[in-house]
Coordinates of all heavy atoms in Angstrom, one line a residue:
M146 N 95.1 81.1 109.7 CA 94.9 82.0 108.6 C 96.0 81.9 107.5 O 97.2 81.8 107.9 CB 94.9 83.4 109.1 CG 94.2 84.4 108.3 SD 94.2 86.1 108.9 CE 93.3 85.9 110.5
P147 N 95.7 81.8 106.2 CA 96.7 81.6 105.2 C 97.7 82.8 105.2 O 97.3 83.9 105.4 CB 95.9 81.6 103.9 CG 94.5 81.3 104.3 CD 94.3 81.8 105.7
N148 N 99.0 82.4 105.0 CA 100.1 83.4 104.8 C 100.3 83.6 103.3 O 100.4 82.6 102.6 CB 101.4 82.8 105.3 CG 101.5 83.0 106.8 OD1 101.0 84.0 107.3 ND2 102.2 82.1 107.4
I149 N 100.4 84.8 102.9 CA 100.8 85.1 101.5 C 102.1 85.9 101.5 O 102.2 86.9 102.3 CB 99.7 85.9 100.8 CG1 98.3 85.2 100.8 CG2 100.1 86.2 99.3 CD1 98.2 83.9 100.0
T150 N 103.0 85.6 100.7 CA 104.3 86.3 100.6 C 104.3 87.2 99.4 O 104.0 86.7 98.3 CB 105.5 85.4 100.6 OG1 105.5 84.6 101.8 CG2 106.8 86.1 100.4
Y151 N 104.6 88.5 99.6 CA 104.6 89.4 98.5 C 106.1 89.8 98.3 O 106.7 90.3 99.2 CB 103.8 90.7 98.8 CG 102.4 90.5 99.1 CD1 101.9 89.9 100.3 CD2 101.4 90.8 98.2 CE1 100.6 89.7 100.6 CE2 100.1 90.6 98.4 CZ 99.7 90.1 99.6 OH 98.3 89.8 99.9
Q152 N 106.6 89.6 97.0 CA 107.9 90.2 96.7 C 107.6 91.6 96.1 O 106.9 91.7 95.1 CB 108.6 89.3 95.7 CG 110.0 89.9 95.4 CD 110.8 89.1 94.4 OE1 110.8 87.9 94.4 NE2 111.4 89.8 93.4
L153 N 108.1 92.6 96.8 CA 107.7 94.0 96.5 C 108.6 94.5 95.4 O 109.7 94.0 95.1 CB 107.8 94.8 97.8 CG 107.0 94.3 99.0 CD1 107.2 95.0 100.2 CD2 105.5 94.3 98.6
P154 N 108.2 95.7 94.8 CA 109.0 96.2 93.7 C 110.4 96.5 94.1 O 111.3 96.5 93.2 CB 108.2 97.5 93.4 CG 106.8 97.2 93.8 CD 106.9 96.4 95.0
D155 N 110.8 96.8 95.3 CA 112.2 97.0 95.7 C 113.0 95.7 95.9 O 114.1 95.8 96.3 CB 112.3 97.9 96.9 CG 111.8 97.3 98.2 OD1 111.4 96.1 98.2 OD2 111.8 97.9 99.2
G156 N 112.3 94.6 95.7 CA 113.0 93.3 95.9 C 112.8 92.7 97.3 O 113.2 91.5 97.5
S157 N 112.4 93.5 98.2 CA 112.2 92.9 99.6 C 110.9 92.1 99.6 O 110.1 92.1 98.7 CB 112.0 94.1 100.6 OG 110.9 94.8 100.4
E158 N 110.7 91.3 100.7 CA 109.6 90.4 100.8 C 108.8 90.7 102.1 O 109.4 91.0 103.1 CB 110.0 89.0 100.8 CG 110.5 88.5 99.5 CD 110.8 87.0 99.4 OE1 110.6 86.3 100.5 OE2 111.1 86.5 98.3
Q159 N 107.5 90.6 102.0 CA 106.7 90.7 103.2 C 105.7 89.5 103.2 O 105.1 89.2 102.1 CB 105.8 92.0 103.2 CG 106.6 93.2 103.3 CD 106.8 93.6 104.8 OE1 106.0 93.1 105.7 NE2 107.8 94.4 105.1
T160 N 105.6 88.9 104.3 CA 104.6 87.8 104.5 C 103.5 88.2 105.4 O 103.8 88.7 106.5 CB 105.3 86.5 105.0 OG1 106.2 86.1 104.0 CG2 104.2 85.4 105.1
V161 N 102.3 88.2 105.0 CA 101.2 88.6 105.8 C 100.1 87.6 105.9 O 99.9 86.7 105.0 CB 100.6 90.0 105.3 CG1 101.6 91.1 105.3 CG2 99.9 89.9 104.0
D162 N 99.3 87.6 106.9 CA 98.1 86.8 107.1 C 96.9 87.4 106.3 O 96.7 88.6 106.4 CB 97.6 86.7 108.5 CG 98.6 86.0 109.4 OD1 99.4 85.1 108.9 OD2 98.7 86.3 110.6
V163 N 96.3 86.6 105.4 CA 95.1 87.1 104.7 C 94.0 86.1 105.0 O 94.0 84.9 104.7 CB 95.4 87.1 103.2 CG1 94.2 87.7 102.4 CG2 96.7 87.9 102.8
P164 N 92.9 86.7 105.6 CA 91.8 85.8 105.9 C 91.2 85.1 104.7 O 91.2 85.7 103.6 CB 90.8 86.8 106.5 CG 91.6 88.0 107.0 CD 92.7 88.1 106.0
E165 N 90.7 83.9 104.9 CA 90.1 83.2 103.8 C 88.9 84.0 103.3 O 88.2 84.6 104.1 CB 89.6 81.8 104.3 CG 90.7 80.8 104.5 CD 90.1 79.5 105.0 OE1 89.2 79.0 104.4 OE2 90.6 79.1 106.1
G166 N 88.7 84.0 102.0 CA 87.6 84.8 101.4 C 88.0 86.2 101.0 O 87.3 86.8 100.2
Q167 N 89.1 86.7 101.5 CA 89.6 88.0 101.0 C 90.6 87.7 99.9 O 90.9 86.6 99.5 CB 90.4 88.7 102.2 CG 89.4 89.2 103.2 CD 90.1 90.2 104.2 OE1 91.2 90.6 104.0 NE2 89.3 90.6 105.2
T168 N 91.0 88.8 99.2 CA 91.8 88.6 98.0 C 93.3 89.0 98.3 O 93.6 89.6 99.4 CB 91.3 89.6 96.9 OG1 91.6 90.9 97.3 CG2 89.9 89.3 96.5
V169 N 94.1 88.6 97.4 CA 95.6 88.9 97.5 C 95.7 90.4 97.5 O 96.6 91.0 98.2 CB 96.4 88.2 96.4 CG1 97.8 88.7 96.3 CG2 96.3 86.7 96.5
M170 N 94.9 91.1 96.8 CA 94.9 92.6 96.8 C 94.5 93.1 98.2 O 95.2 94.0 98.7 CB 93.9 93.1 95.8 CG 93.8 94.7 95.7 SD 92.7 95.3 96.9 CE 91.1 95.2 96.0
D171 N 93.5 92.6 98.8 CA 93.1 93.0 100.2 C 94.3 92.8 101.1 O 94.5 93.7 102.0 CB 91.9 92.1 100.7 CG 90.6 92.4 99.9 OD1 90.3 93.5 99.6 OD2 89.9 91.4 99.7
G172 N 95.0 91.7 101.0 CA 96.1 91.5 102.0 C 97.1 92.5 101.9 O 97.7 92.9 102.9
S173 N 97.4 93.0 100.6 CA 98.4 94.0 100.4 C 97.9 95.4 101.0 O 98.6 96.1 101.7 CB 98.7 94.1 98.9 OG 99.6 95.2 98.7
V174 N 96.7 95.8 100.5 CA 96.2 97.1 100.9 C 96.0 97.2 102.4 O 96.4 98.2 103.0 CB 94.8 97.3 100.2 CG1 94.1 98.6 100.7 CG2 95.1 97.5 98.7
R175 N 95.4 96.2 103.0 CA 95.2 96.2 104.5 C 96.4 96.3 105.3 O 96.4 96.7 106.5 CB 94.3 95.0 104.9 CG 92.9 95.2 104.4 CD 92.1 93.9 104.5 NE 90.9 94.0 103.8 CZ 89.7 94.2 104.3 NH1 89.6 94.4 105.6 NH2 88.6 94.3 103.5
N176 N 97.5 95.8 104.7 CA 98.8 95.9 105.4 C 99.7 97.0 104.9 O 100.9 97.0 105.3 CB 99.5 94.5 105.3 CG 98.8 93.5 106.2 OD1 98.9 93.4 107.4 ND2 98.0 92.6 105.5
N177 N 99.2 97.9 104.1 CA 99.9 99.0 103.6 C 101.2 98.7 102.9 O 102.2 99.4 103.0 CB 100.2 100.0 104.7 CG 99.0 100.6 105.3 OD1 98.1 101.0 104.6 ND2 98.9 100.6 106.7
L178 N 101.1 97.6 102.1 CA 102.3 97.2 101.4 C 102.4 98.1 100.1 O 101.3 98.4 99.5 CB 102.3 95.7 101.0 CG 102.1 94.7 102.1 CD1 102.2 93.3 101.5 CD2 103.2 94.9 103.2
P179 N 103.6 98.4 99.7 CA 103.7 99.2 98.5 C 103.5 98.4 97.2 O 103.7 97.2 97.2 CB 105.1 99.8 98.5 CG 105.9 98.8 99.3 CD 104.9 98.2 100.3
G180 N 103.1 99.0 96.1 CA 103.1 98.4 94.8 C 101.8 98.0 94.2 O 101.6 98.1 93.0
I181 N 100.8 97.6 95.1 CA 99.5 97.3 94.6 C 98.6 98.5 94.9 O 98.3 98.8 96.0 CB 98.9 96.0 95.2 CG1 99.7 94.8 94.7 CG2 97.4 95.9 94.9 CD1 99.3 93.5 95.3
V182 N 98.3 99.3 93.8 CA 97.6 100.5 94.0 C 96.1 100.3 94.2 O 95.4 100.9 95.0 CB 97.8 101.4 92.7 CG1 97.1 102.7 92.8 CG2 99.3 101.7 92.6
A183 N 95.5 99.4 93.4 CA 94.1 99.0 93.5 C 93.2 100.2 93.4 O 92.3 100.4 94.2 CB 93.9 98.2 94.8
E184 N 93.4 101.0 92.4 CA 92.6 102.2 92.1 C 91.1 102.0 92.1 O 90.3 102.8 92.7 CB 92.9 102.8 90.8 CG 93.7 104.1 90.9 CD 94.3 104.5 89.5 OE1 93.5 104.3 88.5 OE2 95.4 105.0 89.5
C185 N 90.6 100.9 91.6 CA 89.2 100.6 91.4 C 88.6 99.9 92.6 O 87.4 99.6 92.6 CB 88.9 99.9 90.1 SG 89.2 98.1 90.2
G186 N 89.4 99.6 93.6 CA 88.9 99.0 94.8 C 88.5 97.5 94.6 O 87.8 97.0 95.5
G187 N 88.9 96.9 93.5 CA 88.7 95.5 93.4 C 87.6 95.1 92.4 O 87.2 93.9 92.4
S188 N 87.2 96.0 91.6 CA 86.1 95.7 90.7 C 86.6 95.3 89.3 O 85.8 95.3 88.3 CB 85.1 96.9 90.6 OG 85.8 98.0 90.1
C189 N 87.8 94.9 89.2 CA 88.4 94.3 87.9 C 88.3 95.3 86.8 O 87.8 95.0 85.7 CB 87.7 93.0 87.6 SG 88.6 92.0 86.4
S190 N 88.6 96.6 87.0 CA 88.6 97.6 85.9 C 89.8 98.5 85.8 O 89.9 99.2 84.8 CB 87.3 98.4 86.1 OG 87.3 99.1 87.3
C191 N 90.7 98.4 86.8 CA 91.8 99.4 86.7 C 93.2 98.7 86.3 O 94.1 99.3 85.8 CB 92.0 100.1 88.0 SG 92.6 99.1 89.4
A192 N 93.3 97.4 86.7 CA 94.5 96.7 86.5 C 95.8 97.2 87.2 O 96.9 96.9 86.8 CB 94.8 96.5 85.0
T193 N 95.6 98.0 88.2 CA 96.7 98.5 89.0 C 97.0 97.6 90.2 O 97.6 98.0 91.2 CB 96.5 100.0 89.6 OG1 95.3 100.0 90.4 CG2 96.3 100.9 88.4
C194 N 96.5 96.4 90.1 CA 96.7 95.4 91.2 C 97.4 94.2 90.6 O 97.4 93.1 91.1 CB 95.4 95.0 91.8 SG 94.3 94.2 90.7
H195 N 98.1 94.4 89.4 CA 98.8 93.3 88.7 C 99.9 92.6 89.6 O 100.7 93.3 90.2 CB 99.4 93.9 87.4 CG 100.2 93.0 86.6 ND1 101.3 93.5 85.8 CD2 100.2 91.7 86.4 CE1 101.8 92.5 85.1 NE2 101.1 91.4 85.5
V196 N 99.9 91.3 89.5 CA 101.0 90.6 90.2 C 101.4 89.4 89.3 O 100.6 89.0 88.4 CB 100.6 90.0 91.6 CG1 100.3 91.1 92.6 CG2 99.4 89.0 91.5
H197 N 102.5 88.9 89.5 CA 103.0 87.6 88.9 C 102.9 86.5 90.0 O 103.5 86.7 91.0 CB 104.4 87.7 88.4 CG 104.6 88.7 87.4 ND1 104.1 88.7 86.1 CD2 105.3 89.9 87.4 CE1 104.4 89.8 85.4 NE2 105.1 90.5 86.2
V198 N 102.1 85.5 89.7 CA 102.0 84.4 90.7 C 103.1 83.4 90.5 O 103.4 83.1 89.3 CB 100.6 83.7 90.6 CG1 100.5 82.6 91.6 CG2 99.5 84.8 90.8
A199 N 103.7 82.9 91.6 CA 104.7 81.9 91.4 C 104.2 80.7 90.6 O 103.0 80.3 90.9 CB 105.2 81.4 92.8
P200 N 105.0 80.2 89.7 CA 104.5 79.1 88.8 C 103.8 77.9 89.6 O 102.7 77.5 89.2 CB 105.7 78.6 88.1 CG 106.7 79.7 88.2 CD 106.4 80.5 89.5
E201 N 104.4 77.6 90.7 CA 103.9 76.4 91.4 C 102.7 76.7 92.2 O 102.0 75.9 92.8 CB 105.0 75.8 92.4 CG 105.5 76.8 93.5 CD 106.6 77.7 93.1 OE1 106.7 78.1 91.9 OE2 107.4 78.1 94.0
H202 N 102.3 78.0 92.2 CA 101.1 78.4 93.0 C 99.9 78.9 92.1 O 98.9 79.2 92.6 CB 101.4 79.5 94.0 CG 102.5 79.1 95.0 ND1 103.5 79.9 95.5 CD2 102.7 77.9 95.6 CE1 104.2 79.2 96.3 NE2 103.8 78.0 96.4
M203 N 100.1 78.8 90.8 CA 99.1 79.3 89.9 C 97.8 78.5 90.1 O 96.7 79.1 90.0 CB 99.5 79.1 88.4 CG 100.6 80.1 88.0 SD 100.0 81.8 87.8 CE 99.0 81.7 86.3
A204 N 97.9 77.2 90.3 CA 96.7 76.3 90.4 C 95.9 76.5 91.7 O 94.8 76.0 91.8 CB 97.1 74.9 90.2
L205 N 96.5 77.3 92.6 CA 95.8 77.5 93.9 C 94.6 78.4 93.8 O 93.7 78.5 94.6 CB 96.7 78.0 95.0 CG 97.9 77.1 95.4 CD1 98.8 77.9 96.3 CD2 97.4 75.8 96.0
F206 N 94.6 79.2 92.7 CA 93.6 80.2 92.5 C 92.7 79.8 91.3 O 93.1 79.1 90.4 CB 94.3 81.6 92.2 CG 95.1 82.0 93.3 CD1 96.5 81.9 93.3 CD2 94.6 82.6 94.5 CE1 97.3 82.3 94.3 CE2 95.4 83.0 95.5 CZ 96.8 82.9 95.5
D207 N 91.4 80.3 91.4 CA 90.5 80.1 90.3 C 91.0 80.6 89.0 O 91.7 81.6 89.0 CB 89.1 80.7 90.6 CG 88.4 80.0 91.7 OD1 88.8 78.8 92.0 OD2 87.4 80.5 92.3
E208 N 90.5 80.1 87.9 CA 90.9 80.6 86.6 C 90.4 82.0 86.4 O 89.3 82.3 87.0 CB 90.2 79.7 85.5 CG 90.8 78.3 85.4 CD 92.2 78.2 84.8 OE1 92.3 78.9 83.8 OE2 93.0 77.6 85.4
P209 N 91.1 82.8 85.6 CA 90.6 84.2 85.4 C 89.3 84.3 84.6 O 89.1 83.4 83.7 CB 91.7 84.9 84.7 CG 92.5 83.8 84.1 CD 92.3 82.6 84.9
M210 N 88.5 85.2 84.9 CA 87.3 85.5 84.1 C 87.8 86.3 82.8 O 88.9 86.8 82.8 CB 86.3 86.4 84.9 CG 85.7 85.7 86.1 SD 84.5 86.7 86.9 CE 85.4 88.3 87.2
D211 N 86.9 86.3 81.8 CA 87.2 87.0 80.6 C 87.6 88.5 80.8 O 88.6 89.0 80.2 CB 86.0 87.0 79.6 CG 85.8 85.6 79.1 OD1 86.6 84.7 79.3 OD2 84.7 85.4 78.5
E212 N 87.0 89.2 81.7 CA 87.3 90.6 82.0 C 88.7 90.7 82.4 O 89.4 91.6 82.0 CB 86.4 91.2 83.1 CG 84.9 91.3 82.7 CD 84.1 90.1 83.0 OE1 84.6 89.0 83.1 OE2 82.9 90.3 83.2
E213 N 89.1 89.8 83.3 CA 90.5 89.9 83.8 C 91.5 89.6 82.7 O 92.5 90.3 82.5 CB 90.7 88.9 85.0 CG 92.1 88.9 85.5 CD 92.4 87.9 86.6 OE1 91.4 87.3 87.1 OE2 93.6 87.8 87.0
T214 N 91.2 88.6 81.9 CA 92.1 88.2 80.8 C 92.3 89.3 79.9 O 93.4 89.6 79.4 CB 91.6 86.9 80.1 OG1 91.4 85.9 81.1 CG2 92.5 86.4 79.0
E215 N 91.2 90.0 79.5 CA 91.3 91.1 78.6 C 92.1 92.3 79.1 O 92.9 92.9 78.4 CB 89.9 91.6 78.2 CG 89.2 90.6 77.3 CD 87.7 90.7 77.2 OE1 87.2 91.8 77.7 OE2 87.0 89.8 76.8
L216 N 91.9 92.6 80.4 CA 92.7 93.7 81.0 C 94.2 93.3 81.0 O 95.1 94.2 80.7 CB 92.2 94.0 82.4 CG 91.1 94.9 82.6 CD1 90.6 94.9 84.0 CD2 91.4 96.3 82.1
V217 N 94.5 92.1 81.4 CA 95.9 91.7 81.6 C 96.7 91.7 80.3 O 97.8 92.1 80.2 CB 96.0 90.3 82.3 CG1 97.4 89.7 82.1 CG2 95.6 90.4 83.7
E218 N 96.0 91.4 79.2 CA 96.6 91.3 77.9 C 97.4 92.6 77.5 O 98.4 92.6 76.8 CB 95.5 91.2 76.8 CG 95.4 89.8 76.2 CD 94.2 89.7 75.3 OE1 93.8 90.7 74.7 OE2 93.6 88.6 75.2
F219 N 96.8 93.7 78.0 CA 97.4 95.0 77.5 C 98.4 95.6 78.6 O 98.8 96.8 78.4 CB 96.3 96.0 77.2 CG 95.4 95.5 76.1 CD1 94.2 95.0 76.3 CD2 95.9 95.6 74.8 CE1 93.4 94.5 75.3 CE2 95.1 95.2 73.7 CZ 93.9 94.6 74.0
L220 N 98.7 94.9 79.6 CA 99.6 95.4 80.6 C 101.0 95.3 80.2 O 101.5 94.4 79.6 CB 99.4 94.6 81.9 CG 98.1 94.9 82.7 CD1 98.1 93.9 83.9 CD2 98.1 96.3 83.2
D221 N 101.8 96.4 80.6 CA 103.3 96.3 80.5 C 103.8 95.2 81.4 O 103.3 95.0 82.5 CB 103.9 97.6 81.0 CG 103.8 98.7 80.0 OD1 103.5 98.4 78.8 OD2 104.0 99.8 80.3
G222 N 104.7 94.4 80.9 CA 105.3 93.3 81.7 C 104.4 92.1 82.0 O 104.7 91.3 82.8
A223 N 103.3 92.0 81.2 CA 102.4 90.9 81.4 C 103.1 89.6 80.9 O 103.9 89.6 80.0 CB 101.1 91.1 80.7
C224 N 102.8 88.5 81.6 CA 103.3 87.2 81.2 C 102.2 86.1 81.5 O 101.2 86.5 82.0 CB 104.6 86.9 81.9 SG 104.5 86.6 83.6
E225 N 102.6 84.9 81.3 CA 101.6 83.8 81.5 C 101.3 83.6 83.0 O 100.3 83.0 83.3 CB 102.0 82.5 80.9 CG 103.2 81.8 81.5 CD 104.6 82.4 81.1 OE1 104.6 83.3 80.3 OE2 105.6 82.0 81.7
R226 N 102.1 84.2 83.9 CA 101.8 84.2 85.3 C 101.1 85.4 85.9 O 100.9 85.6 87.0 CB 103.1 83.9 86.1 CG 103.8 82.6 85.7 CD 105.0 82.3 86.6 NE 106.1 83.2 86.3 CZ 106.5 84.2 87.1 NH1 105.9 84.3 88.3 NH2 107.5 84.9 86.8
S227 N 100.7 86.3 85.0 CA 100.1 87.6 85.4 C 98.7 87.3 85.8 O 97.9 86.6 85.2 CB 100.1 88.6 84.2 OG 101.4 89.0 83.9
R228 N 98.3 87.9 86.9 CA 96.9 87.9 87.4 C 96.6 89.3 88.0 O 97.6 90.0 88.4 CB 96.7 86.9 88.5 CG 96.8 85.4 88.1 CD 95.8 85.0 87.1 NE 94.4 85.3 87.5 CZ 93.6 84.4 88.1 NH1 94.1 83.2 88.4 NH2 92.4 84.7 88.5
L229 N 95.4 89.6 88.1 CA 94.9 90.8 88.9 C 94.7 90.3 90.3 O 93.8 89.5 90.5 CB 93.7 91.4 88.2 CG 93.9 92.0 86.8 CD1 92.7 92.6 86.3 CD2 95.1 92.9 86.7
S230 N 95.4 90.9 91.2 CA 95.3 90.3 92.6 C 94.0 90.5 93.3 O 93.7 89.8 94.2 CB 96.4 90.9 93.5 OG 96.4 92.3 93.5
C231 N 93.1 91.4 92.7 CA 91.8 91.6 93.3 C 90.9 90.4 92.9 O 89.8 90.3 93.5 CB 91.2 92.9 92.9 SG 90.7 93.1 91.2
Q232 N 91.4 89.6 92.0 CA 90.6 88.5 91.5 C 91.1 87.2 92.1 O 90.6 86.1 91.8 CB 90.6 88.4 90.0 CG 90.0 89.7 89.4 CD 88.6 90.0 89.8 OE1 87.7 89.2 89.7 NE2 88.4 91.2 90.4
L233 N 92.1 87.3 93.0 CA 92.7 86.1 93.6 C 92.2 85.9 95.0 O 92.7 86.5 95.9 CB 94.3 86.2 93.6 CG 95.0 86.4 92.2 CD1 96.5 86.6 92.5 CD2 94.7 85.2 91.4
I234 N 91.2 85.1 95.1 CA 90.5 84.8 96.4 C 91.3 83.8 97.2 O 91.6 82.7 96.6 CB 89.1 84.4 96.2 CG1 88.3 85.5 95.4 CG2 88.4 84.1 97.5 CD1 86.9 85.2 95.0
V235 N 91.6 84.2 98.4 CA 92.5 83.3 99.2 C 91.6 82.2 99.9 O 90.6 82.5 100.5 CB 93.2 84.2 100.3 CG1 93.9 83.3 101.3 CG2 94.1 85.2 99.6
S236 N 92.1 81.0 99.8 CA 91.5 79.9 100.5 C 92.5 79.2 101.4 O 93.7 79.6 101.3 CB 91.0 78.8 99.5 OG 92.0 78.3 98.8
A237 N 92.1 78.3 102.2 CA 93.1 77.6 103.1 C 94.3 77.0 102.3 O 95.4 77.0 102.8 CB 92.4 76.6 103.9
E238 N 94.0 76.5 101.1 CA 95.0 75.9 100.3 C 96.1 76.9 99.8 O 97.2 76.5 99.4 CB 94.4 75.2 99.0 CG 93.5 74.0 99.3 CD 92.2 74.4 99.9 OE1 91.6 75.4 99.5 OE2 91.8 73.7 100.9
C239 N 95.8 78.2 99.9 CA 96.7 79.2 99.4 C 97.8 79.5 100.4 O 98.7 80.3 100.2 CB 96.0 80.5 99.1 SG 94.8 80.3 97.8
D240 N 97.8 78.9 101.6 CA 98.8 79.2 102.6 C 100.2 78.9 102.0 O 100.4 77.9 101.5 CB 98.6 78.2 103.8 CG 99.5 78.6 105.0 OD1 99.7 79.8 105.2 OD2 100.0 77.7 105.6
G241 N 101.0 79.9 102.1 CA 102.4 79.8 101.6 C 102.6 80.3 100.2 O 103.7 80.3 99.6
A242 N 101.5 80.8 99.6 CA 101.6 81.2 98.2 C 102.4 82.5 98.1 O 102.5 83.3 99.0 CB 100.2 81.5 97.6
R243 N 103.1 82.6 96.9 CA 104.0 83.8 96.7 C 103.5 84.5 95.4 O 103.2 83.9 94.4 CB 105.4 83.3 96.4 CG 106.1 82.8 97.6 CD 107.5 82.2 97.2 NE 108.2 83.2 96.5 CZ 109.0 84.2 97.1 NH1 109.1 84.2 98.4 NH2 109.6 85.0 96.4
V244 N 103.6 85.8 95.5 CA 103.3 86.7 94.3 C 104.4 87.7 94.2 O 105.0 88.1 95.2 CB 102.0 87.4 94.4 CG1 100.8 86.4 94.4 CG2 101.8 88.3 95.5
V245 N 104.7 88.1 93.0 CA 105.7 89.2 92.7 C 104.9 90.4 92.3 O 104.1 90.3 91.4 CB 106.7 88.7 91.6 CG1 107.6 89.9 91.3 CG2 107.5 87.5 92.1
V246 N 105.2 91.5 93.0 CA 104.5 92.8 92.6 C 105.4 93.6 91.7 O 106.5 94.0 92.1 CB 104.2 93.6 93.9 CG1 103.4 94.9 93.5 CG2 103.4 92.8 94.9
P247 N 105.0 93.8 90.4 CA 105.9 94.5 89.5 C 105.9 96.0 89.9 O 105.0 96.5 90.6 CB 105.3 94.2 88.1 CG 103.8 94.0 88.4 CD 103.8 93.4 89.8
D248 N 106.9 96.7 89.3 CA 107.0 98.1 89.6 C 106.2 99.0 88.6 O 106.4 100.2 88.5 CB 108.4 98.6 89.8 CG 109.2 98.4 88.5 OD1 108.6 98.0 87.5 OD2 110.4 98.6 88.5
T249 N 105.3 98.3 87.8 CA 104.6 99.0 86.8 C 103.2 99.3 87.1 O 102.4 99.9 86.3 CB 104.6 98.2 85.5 OG1 104.2 96.8 85.8 CG2 106.0 98.1 84.9
N250 N 102.7 99.0 88.4 CA 101.3 99.3 88.7 C 101.0 100.8 88.9 O 101.9 101.5 89.3 CB 100.9 98.5 90.0 CG 100.7 97.1 89.7 OD1 100.3 96.7 88.6 ND2 100.9 96.2 90.7
Ligands
LIG68 S1 91.9 96.6 92.0 FE1 91.3 97.4 90.1 S2 91.5 95.7 88.8 FE2 92.1 94.9 90.7

């Protein structure tokens, strides 16, 4: 099962197993990690699941849809590595991926 490492808002790190087909958001919520609120439950409408993907791991995930891009544009602390973690579907290739959870969710 792929491992995903989350750098949490307090600077600590947690690495958890996330089954293929689930999202980076699912991996956080199911393991009760702090920082990813996921108010809308993954329907790409709340943007409280914002993460920064490590530059070398950006290509492991599908390109964002327009809805995601539009939401991310208006987020505090957004950058070119910003993604909504509910849209990051985990595949076998994602094993070892890292995301930073900002303290602004
Ligand atoms: S959980 Fe709401 S946009 Fe990702």
Side-chain angles (χ1 to χ4, degrees):
M146 201 181 296
N148 278 328
I149 306 290
T150 297
Y151 299 78
Q152 183 182 316
L153 302 174
D155 69 359
S157 65
E158 290 189 354
Q159 289 274 340
T160 299
V161 301
D162 294 331
V163 183
E165 288 178 53
Q167 291 193 5
T168 66
V169 171
M170 179 276 276
D171 291 322
S173 175
V174 169
R175 288 166 195 262
N176 288 284
N177 296 314
L178 303 184
I181 293 179
V182 178
E184 250 171 38
C185 77
S188 60
C189 198
S190 61
C191 72
T193 61
C194 63
H195 177 209
V196 296
H197 301 290
V198 179
E201 65 272 31
H202 299 144
M203 289 290 286
L205 296 175
F206 299 99
D207 288 344
E208 292 287 313
M210 296 183 304
D211 290 346
E212 292 91 333
E213 179 183 351
T214 304
E215 286 161 17
L216 275 174
V217 165
E218 256 175 30
F219 297 103
L220 287 174
D221 282 346
C224 69
E225 69 281 355
R226 296 185 293 109
S227 290
R228 293 296 307 267
L229 297 182
S230 58
C231 69
Q232 304 302 303
L233 298 176
I234 298 173
V235 173
S236 63
E238 292 72 40
C239 297
D240 187 40
R243 289 176 52 86
V244 299
V245 176
V246 182
D248 60 5
T249 51
N250 283 334

